[in-house]
Amino acid sequence: MKALRWHNQKDLRLENIEEPQALKGKVKLKVEWCGICGSDLHEYTAGPIFIPTETHPLSGDKAPIVMGHEFSGQVVEVGEGVTTVQVGDRVTVEPIYACGECEACKKGKYNLCDKMGFYGLAGGGGGFSEYAAVPAEMIHKLPETVSFEQGALVEPSAVALHAVRQSKLKVGDKAAVFGTGPIGLLVIEALKASGASEIYAVELSEIRQQKAAELGAIVIDSKKYDAVEEIYKRTNGGVDVAYEVTGVPPVLKQAINATKIDGETMVVSIFEKEAPIHPHDIVMKERSLTGIIGYRDVFPAVISLMAQGYFPADKLVTKRIKLDEVIEEGFEGLLKERDQVKILVKAE
């Protein structure tokens, strides 16, 4: 079958590899759609970050690995011992590897596992392929009202919902989202579902500004305004919670300073470089700074919200391509066309 494999930084290859099998405890899927994540792009331009160059303790795999962790598909085969799904089920994948034995896992915080990895980044297979064989515990069924396209958005939407759930945000609070790429837009949706009264979106790209506005955010063009001053002016002293979703070091300082007294900044993005901040900005207003990685226990909630109309694919997906086009139109396209939001790849 065709599959996209990461060999090294700036070295992705669409190759013919052996089709995976539904071994004991696994589920074989015909992949329908797979999204290109910001993490995938980071691996392409600056990796390895999550991709193991030595054998991963949970996947048992190392580079070169098949990429793709935001995907949906249909069950075509179930392995021995699998009783939770059957052939024909429409599903999405929660791609976290966790050991189940470390302190984080014992506390139920499996996304903080000492050995944590992601299917499609840490090996074992991936969604940028025609078929995938996935551990059964990663599988979540999709209701008929949630399309395969929506199914490919469950994983990034889970990141957004987890970020909002882990923050101090309460119903009626004001929030700011710095960066409205795919995850930033999904954070806006999660904030709407969580009852935020005002959502400010700070963004440079006109197309991404438009997307944020379509989702109901109050857009602040950071080319025209000092984002911190503008937020202070419009909110009479800052937002309750700011979400940093750019991974750009200077923006972290802006996000911190856009919050009110006792406000919180939630770091959602993955940073390639260190981000200098002054502790004074936190200490003098008793602010807090926290962060999340991935998600836990939110896939069912995301799928339920999707069935109610949240996280809409028609407003978030800007490009749909075939697997054969994934390198040039997908990864390179995202680097060249900075206005793209979410690209979905159709497996064939």
PDB file of all heavy atoms in Angstrom, residues 278-305:
ATOM      1  N   HIS A 278       9.545  37.742  31.078  1.00  0.00           N
ATOM      2  CA  HIS A 278      10.015  38.380  32.303  1.00  0.00           C
ATOM      3  C   HIS A 278       9.087  37.962  33.451  1.00  0.00           C
ATOM      4  O   HIS A 278       7.883  38.224  33.391  1.00  0.00           O
ATOM      5  CB  HIS A 278      10.007  39.900  32.154  1.00  0.00           C
ATOM      6  CG  HIS A 278      10.914  40.586  33.132  1.00  0.00           C
ATOM      7  ND1 HIS A 278      10.818  40.385  34.495  1.00  0.00           N
ATOM      8  CD2 HIS A 278      11.949  41.457  32.947  1.00  0.00           C
ATOM      9  CE1 HIS A 278      11.749  41.101  35.109  1.00  0.00           C
ATOM     10  NE2 HIS A 278      12.447  41.750  34.199  1.00  0.00           N
ATOM     11  N   PRO A 279       9.618  37.309  34.485  1.00  0.00           N
ATOM     12  CA  PRO A 279       8.773  36.901  35.606  1.00  0.00           C
ATOM     13  C   PRO A 279       7.971  38.049  36.217  1.00  0.00           C
ATOM     14  O   PRO A 279       6.900  37.835  36.782  1.00  0.00           O
ATOM     15  CB  PRO A 279       9.783  36.344  36.614  1.00  0.00           C
ATOM     16  CG  PRO A 279      10.926  35.870  35.777  1.00  0.00           C
ATOM     17  CD  PRO A 279      11.023  36.863  34.658  1.00  0.00           C
ATOM     18  N   HIS A 280       8.494  39.270  36.091  1.00  0.00           N
ATOM     19  CA  HIS A 280       7.806  40.464  36.596  1.00  0.00           C
ATOM     20  C   HIS A 280       6.387  40.555  36.035  1.00  0.00           C
ATOM     21  O   HIS A 280       5.455  40.964  36.744  1.00  0.00           O
ATOM     22  CB  HIS A 280       8.623  41.705  36.184  1.00  0.00           C
ATOM     23  CG  HIS A 280       8.084  43.001  36.698  1.00  0.00           C
ATOM     24  ND1 HIS A 280       8.413  43.504  37.933  1.00  0.00           N
ATOM     25  CD2 HIS A 280       7.218  43.895  36.144  1.00  0.00           C
ATOM     26  CE1 HIS A 280       7.787  44.653  38.109  1.00  0.00           C
ATOM     27  NE2 HIS A 280       7.065  44.928  37.046  1.00  0.00           N
ATOM     28  N   ASP A 281       6.220  40.166  34.748  1.00  0.00           N
ATOM     29  CA  ASP A 281       4.901  40.244  34.118  1.00  0.00           C
ATOM     30  C   ASP A 281       3.895  39.305  34.778  1.00  0.00           C
ATOM     31  O   ASP A 281       2.686  39.531  34.724  1.00  0.00           O
ATOM     32  CB  ASP A 281       5.000  39.901  32.619  1.00  0.00           C
ATOM     33  CG  ASP A 281       5.786  40.937  31.838  1.00  0.00           C
ATOM     34  OD1 ASP A 281       5.822  42.102  32.270  1.00  0.00           O
ATOM     35  OD2 ASP A 281       6.377  40.575  30.798  1.00  0.00           O
ATOM     36  N   ILE A 282       4.392  38.245  35.379  1.00  0.00           N
ATOM     37  CA  ILE A 282       3.530  37.292  36.067  1.00  0.00           C
ATOM     38  C   ILE A 282       3.356  37.687  37.541  1.00  0.00           C
ATOM     39  O   ILE A 282       2.240  37.770  38.057  1.00  0.00           O
ATOM     40  CB  ILE A 282       4.108  35.866  35.974  1.00  0.00           C
ATOM     41  CG1 ILE A 282       4.144  35.413  34.501  1.00  0.00           C
ATOM     42  CG2 ILE A 282       3.300  34.885  36.821  1.00  0.00           C
ATOM     43  CD1 ILE A 282       4.880  34.115  34.267  1.00  0.00           C
ATOM     44  N   VAL A 283       4.474  37.979  38.193  1.00  0.00           N
ATOM     45  CA  VAL A 283       4.483  38.223  39.637  1.00  0.00           C
ATOM     46  C   VAL A 283       3.656  39.448  40.035  1.00  0.00           C
ATOM     47  O   VAL A 283       2.844  39.389  40.970  1.00  0.00           O
ATOM     48  CB  VAL A 283       5.937  38.381  40.136  1.00  0.00           C
ATOM     49  CG1 VAL A 283       5.961  38.864  41.587  1.00  0.00           C
ATOM     50  CG2 VAL A 283       6.687  37.074  40.000  1.00  0.00           C
ATOM     51  N   MET A 284       3.818  40.560  39.333  1.00  0.00           N
ATOM     52  CA  MET A 284       3.212  41.820  39.765  1.00  0.00           C
ATOM     53  C   MET A 284       1.691  41.843  39.634  1.00  0.00           C
ATOM     54  O   MET A 284       1.024  42.714  40.190  1.00  0.00           O
ATOM     55  CB  MET A 284       3.836  42.998  39.004  1.00  0.00           C
ATOM     56  CG  MET A 284       5.308  43.207  39.306  1.00  0.00           C
ATOM     57  SD  MET A 284       5.681  43.335  41.080  1.00  0.00           S
ATOM     58  CE  MET A 284       4.857  44.875  41.480  1.00  0.00           C
ATOM     59  N   LYS A 285       1.131  40.910  38.892  1.00  0.00           N
ATOM     60  CA  LYS A 285      -0.334  40.838  38.787  1.00  0.00           C
ATOM     61  C   LYS A 285      -0.872  39.473  39.216  1.00  0.00           C
ATOM     62  O   LYS A 285      -2.029  39.145  38.979  1.00  0.00           O
ATOM     63  CB  LYS A 285      -0.783  41.178  37.366  1.00  0.00           C
ATOM     64  CG  LYS A 285      -0.482  42.623  36.988  1.00  0.00           C
ATOM     65  CD  LYS A 285      -1.336  43.122  35.843  1.00  0.00           C
ATOM     66  CE  LYS A 285      -1.087  44.608  35.600  1.00  0.00           C
ATOM     67  NZ  LYS A 285      -1.951  45.153  34.527  1.00  0.00           N
ATOM     68  N   GLU A 286      -0.009  38.705  39.870  1.00  0.00           N
ATOM     69  CA  GLU A 286      -0.377  37.370  40.348  1.00  0.00           C
ATOM     70  C   GLU A 286      -1.070  36.554  39.261  1.00  0.00           C
ATOM     71  O   GLU A 286      -2.076  35.881  39.481  1.00  0.00           O
ATOM     72  CB  GLU A 286      -1.254  37.453  41.605  1.00  0.00           C
ATOM     73  CG  GLU A 286      -0.497  37.985  42.800  1.00  0.00           C
ATOM     74  CD  GLU A 286      -1.228  37.795  44.114  1.00  0.00           C
ATOM     75  OE1 GLU A 286      -2.373  37.290  44.103  1.00  0.00           O
ATOM     76  OE2 GLU A 286      -0.652  38.148  45.162  1.00  0.00           O
ATOM     77  N   ARG A 287      -0.484  36.619  38.062  1.00  0.00           N
ATOM     78  CA  ARG A 287      -0.989  35.819  36.949  1.00  0.00           C
ATOM     79  C   ARG A 287      -0.462  34.392  37.058  1.00  0.00           C
ATOM     80  O   ARG A 287       0.456  34.110  37.831  1.00  0.00           O
ATOM     81  CB  ARG A 287      -0.532  36.432  35.624  1.00  0.00           C
ATOM     82  CG  ARG A 287      -1.174  37.778  35.300  1.00  0.00           C
ATOM     83  CD  ARG A 287      -0.431  38.447  34.185  1.00  0.00           C
ATOM     84  NE  ARG A 287      -1.167  39.557  33.599  1.00  0.00           N
ATOM     85  CZ  ARG A 287      -0.590  40.673  33.160  1.00  0.00           C
ATOM     86  NH1 ARG A 287       0.730  40.819  33.247  1.00  0.00           N
ATOM     87  NH2 ARG A 287      -1.323  41.623  32.627  1.00  0.00           N
ATOM     88  N   SER A 288      -1.009  33.520  36.246  1.00  0.00           N
ATOM     89  CA  SER A 288      -0.500  32.154  36.186  1.00  0.00           C
ATOM     90  C   SER A 288      -0.223  31.776  34.739  1.00  0.00           C
ATOM     91  O   SER A 288      -0.849  32.300  33.808  1.00  0.00           O
ATOM     92  CB  SER A 288      -1.490  31.171  36.817  1.00  0.00           C
ATOM     93  OG  SER A 288      -2.733  31.210  36.158  1.00  0.00           O
ATOM     94  N   LEU A 289       0.727  30.870  34.570  1.00  0.00           N
ATOM     95  CA  LEU A 289       1.122  30.386  33.249  1.00  0.00           C
ATOM     96  C   LEU A 289       1.127  28.870  33.305  1.00  0.00           C
ATOM     97  O   LEU A 289       1.762  28.272  34.177  1.00  0.00           O
ATOM     98  CB  LEU A 289       2.518  30.908  32.888  1.00  0.00           C
ATOM     99  CG  LEU A 289       3.160  30.413  31.594  1.00  0.00           C
ATOM    100  CD1 LEU A 289       2.379  30.900  30.390  1.00  0.00           C
ATOM    101  CD2 LEU A 289       4.618  30.873  31.506  1.00  0.00           C
ATOM    102  N   THR A 290       0.393  28.242  32.410  1.00  0.00           N
ATOM    103  CA  THR A 290       0.325  26.783  32.409  1.00  0.00           C
ATOM    104  C   THR A 290       0.304  26.282  30.969  1.00  0.00           C
ATOM    105  O   THR A 290       0.379  27.073  30.028  1.00  0.00           O
ATOM    106  CB  THR A 290      -0.914  26.296  33.198  1.00  0.00           C
ATOM    107  OG1 THR A 290      -0.855  24.887  33.347  1.00  0.00           O
ATOM    108  CG2 THR A 290      -2.198  26.680  32.489  1.00  0.00           C
ATOM    109  N   GLY A 291       0.227  24.976  30.800  1.00  0.00           N
ATOM    110  CA  GLY A 291       0.246  24.428  29.447  1.00  0.00           C
ATOM    111  C   GLY A 291      -0.378  23.045  29.418  1.00  0.00           C
ATOM    112  O   GLY A 291      -0.623  22.427  30.459  1.00  0.00           O
ATOM    113  N   ILE A 292      -0.638  22.578  28.211  1.00  0.00           N
ATOM    114  CA  ILE A 292      -1.191  21.227  28.035  1.00  0.00           C
ATOM    115  C   ILE A 292      -0.429  20.513  26.923  1.00  0.00           C
ATOM    116  O   ILE A 292       0.180  21.149  26.063  1.00  0.00           O
ATOM    117  CB  ILE A 292      -2.699  21.245  27.688  1.00  0.00           C
ATOM    118  CG1 ILE A 292      -2.977  22.069  26.409  1.00  0.00           C
ATOM    119  CG2 ILE A 292      -3.510  21.770  28.847  1.00  0.00           C
ATOM    120  CD1 ILE A 292      -3.320  21.272  25.207  1.00  0.00           C
ATOM    121  N   ILE A 293      -0.487  19.187  26.975  1.00  0.00           N
ATOM    122  CA  ILE A 293       0.022  18.377  25.866  1.00  0.00           C
ATOM    123  C   ILE A 293      -1.065  17.373  25.503  1.00  0.00           C
ATOM    124  O   ILE A 293      -1.569  16.640  26.367  1.00  0.00           O
ATOM    125  CB  ILE A 293       1.352  17.659  26.211  1.00  0.00           C
ATOM    126  CG1 ILE A 293       1.862  16.844  25.016  1.00  0.00           C
ATOM    127  CG2 ILE A 293       1.217  16.779  27.449  1.00  0.00           C
ATOM    128  CD1 ILE A 293       2.320  17.684  23.852  1.00  0.00           C
ATOM    129  N   GLY A 294      -1.460  17.387  24.272  1.00  0.00           N
ATOM    130  CA  GLY A 294      -2.451  16.419  23.810  1.00  0.00           C
ATOM    131  C   GLY A 294      -3.795  16.608  24.480  1.00  0.00           C
ATOM    132  O   GLY A 294      -4.360  17.710  24.521  1.00  0.00           O
ATOM    133  N   TYR A 295      -4.287  15.537  25.109  1.00  0.00           N
ATOM    134  CA  TYR A 295      -5.652  15.498  25.637  1.00  0.00           C
ATOM    135  C   TYR A 295      -5.802  14.222  26.443  1.00  0.00           C
ATOM    136  O   TYR A 295      -4.989  13.301  26.362  1.00  0.00           O
ATOM    137  CB  TYR A 295      -6.678  15.464  24.480  1.00  0.00           C
ATOM    138  CG  TYR A 295      -6.126  14.701  23.300  1.00  0.00           C
ATOM    139  CD1 TYR A 295      -6.038  13.308  23.332  1.00  0.00           C
ATOM    140  CD2 TYR A 295      -5.568  15.365  22.206  1.00  0.00           C
ATOM    141  CE1 TYR A 295      -5.450  12.609  22.301  1.00  0.00           C
ATOM    142  CE2 TYR A 295      -4.972  14.667  21.169  1.00  0.00           C
ATOM    143  CZ  TYR A 295      -4.915  13.278  21.225  1.00  0.00           C
ATOM    144  OH  TYR A 295      -4.307  12.590  20.218  1.00  0.00           O
ATOM    145  N   ARG A 296      -6.846  14.172  27.220  1.00  0.00           N
ATOM    146  CA  ARG A 296      -7.233  12.915  27.887  1.00  0.00           C
ATOM    147  C   ARG A 296      -8.730  12.971  28.185  1.00  0.00           C
ATOM    148  O   ARG A 296      -9.272  13.994  28.583  1.00  0.00           O
ATOM    149  CB  ARG A 296      -6.429  12.679  29.162  1.00  0.00           C
ATOM    150  CG  ARG A 296      -6.550  13.742  30.235  1.00  0.00           C
ATOM    151  CD  ARG A 296      -5.750  13.380  31.476  1.00  0.00           C
ATOM    152  NE  ARG A 296      -5.817  14.436  32.482  1.00  0.00           N
ATOM    153  CZ  ARG A 296      -4.940  15.432  32.587  1.00  0.00           C
ATOM    154  NH1 ARG A 296      -3.915  15.523  31.753  1.00  0.00           N
ATOM    155  NH2 ARG A 296      -5.093  16.348  33.537  1.00  0.00           N
ATOM    156  N   ASP A 297      -9.375  11.862  27.960  1.00  0.00           N
ATOM    157  CA  ASP A 297     -10.776  11.675  28.324  1.00  0.00           C
ATOM    158  C   ASP A 297     -11.716  12.720  27.707  1.00  0.00           C
ATOM    159  O   ASP A 297     -12.721  13.085  28.323  1.00  0.00           O
ATOM    160  CB  ASP A 297     -10.933  11.703  29.858  1.00  0.00           C
ATOM    161  CG  ASP A 297     -10.080  10.653  30.548  1.00  0.00           C
ATOM    162  OD1 ASP A 297      -9.966   9.535  30.001  1.00  0.00           O
ATOM    163  OD2 ASP A 297      -9.500  10.951  31.609  1.00  0.00           O
ATOM    164  N   VAL A 298     -11.412  13.185  26.498  1.00  0.00           N
ATOM    165  CA  VAL A 298     -12.293  14.195  25.892  1.00  0.00           C
ATOM    166  C   VAL A 298     -12.864  13.783  24.535  1.00  0.00           C
ATOM    167  O   VAL A 298     -13.743  14.464  24.014  1.00  0.00           O
ATOM    168  CB  VAL A 298     -11.595  15.568  25.741  1.00  0.00           C
ATOM    169  CG1 VAL A 298     -11.239  16.157  27.077  1.00  0.00           C
ATOM    170  CG2 VAL A 298     -10.370  15.483  24.849  1.00  0.00           C
ATOM    171  N   PHE A 299     -12.398  12.676  23.960  1.00  0.00           N
ATOM    172  CA  PHE A 299     -12.891  12.297  22.629  1.00  0.00           C
ATOM    173  C   PHE A 299     -14.420  12.126  22.600  1.00  0.00           C
ATOM    174  O   PHE A 299     -15.078  12.642  21.689  1.00  0.00           O
ATOM    175  CB  PHE A 299     -12.191  11.025  22.121  1.00  0.00           C
ATOM    176  CG  PHE A 299     -10.984  11.294  21.266  1.00  0.00           C
ATOM    177  CD1 PHE A 299      -9.955  12.096  21.739  1.00  0.00           C
ATOM    178  CD2 PHE A 299     -10.876  10.757  19.991  1.00  0.00           C
ATOM    179  CE1 PHE A 299      -8.832  12.360  20.947  1.00  0.00           C
ATOM    180  CE2 PHE A 299      -9.763  11.014  19.195  1.00  0.00           C
ATOM    181  CZ  PHE A 299      -8.745  11.814  19.683  1.00  0.00           C
ATOM    182  N   PRO A 300     -15.019  11.429  23.569  1.00  0.00           N
ATOM    183  CA  PRO A 300     -16.484  11.306  23.531  1.00  0.00           C
ATOM    184  C   PRO A 300     -17.191  12.656  23.561  1.00  0.00           C
ATOM    185  O   PRO A 300     -18.193  12.858  22.858  1.00  0.00           O
ATOM    186  CB  PRO A 300     -16.793  10.479  24.780  1.00  0.00           C
ATOM    187  CG  PRO A 300     -15.554   9.674  25.013  1.00  0.00           C
ATOM    188  CD  PRO A 300     -14.436  10.613  24.654  1.00  0.00           C
ATOM    189  N   ALA A 301     -16.679  13.592  24.369  1.00  0.00           N
ATOM    190  CA  ALA A 301     -17.289  14.924  24.449  1.00  0.00           C
ATOM    191  C   ALA A 301     -17.162  15.666  23.122  1.00  0.00           C
ATOM    192  O   ALA A 301     -18.106  16.330  22.677  1.00  0.00           O
ATOM    193  CB  ALA A 301     -16.645  15.733  25.573  1.00  0.00           C
ATOM    194  N   VAL A 302     -15.998  15.568  22.492  1.00  0.00           N
ATOM    195  CA  VAL A 302     -15.800  16.223  21.195  1.00  0.00           C
ATOM    196  C   VAL A 302     -16.769  15.674  20.155  1.00  0.00           C
ATOM    197  O   VAL A 302     -17.414  16.425  19.412  1.00  0.00           O
ATOM    198  CB  VAL A 302     -14.342  16.058  20.701  1.00  0.00           C
ATOM    199  CG1 VAL A 302     -14.208  16.515  19.251  1.00  0.00           C
ATOM    200  CG2 VAL A 302     -13.379  16.846  21.584  1.00  0.00           C
ATOM    201  N   ILE A 303     -16.881  14.353  20.099  1.00  0.00           N
ATOM    202  CA  ILE A 303     -17.783  13.725  19.120  1.00  0.00           C
ATOM    203  C   ILE A 303     -19.224  14.155  19.378  1.00  0.00           C
ATOM    204  O   ILE A 303     -19.981  14.446  18.440  1.00  0.00           O
ATOM    205  CB  ILE A 303     -17.615  12.190  19.164  1.00  0.00           C
ATOM    206  CG1 ILE A 303     -16.213  11.804  18.662  1.00  0.00           C
ATOM    207  CG2 ILE A 303     -18.681  11.505  18.315  1.00  0.00           C
ATOM    208  CD1 ILE A 303     -15.830  10.360  18.928  1.00  0.00           C
ATOM    209  N   SER A 304     -19.611  14.237  20.644  1.00  0.00           N
ATOM    210  CA  SER A 304     -20.954  14.687  21.000  1.00  0.00           C
ATOM    211  C   SER A 304     -21.175  16.137  20.575  1.00  0.00           C
ATOM    212  O   SER A 304     -22.237  16.485  20.034  1.00  0.00           O
ATOM    213  CB  SER A 304     -21.175  14.535  22.508  1.00  0.00           C
ATOM    214  OG  SER A 304     -22.464  14.994  22.876  1.00  0.00           O
ATOM    215  N   LEU A 305     -20.194  16.989  20.799  1.00  0.00           N
ATOM    216  CA  LEU A 305     -20.304  18.397  20.396  1.00  0.00           C
ATOM    217  C   LEU A 305     -20.374  18.524  18.874  1.00  0.00           C
ATOM    218  O   LEU A 305     -21.108  19.367  18.342  1.00  0.00           O
ATOM    219  CB  LEU A 305     -19.128  19.204  20.949  1.00  0.00           C
ATOM    220  CG  LEU A 305     -19.161  19.499  22.454  1.00  0.00           C
ATOM    221  CD1 LEU A 305     -17.830  20.046  22.916  1.00  0.00           C
ATOM    222  CD2 LEU A 305     -20.286  20.470  22.792  1.00  0.00           C
TER     223      LEU A 305
END
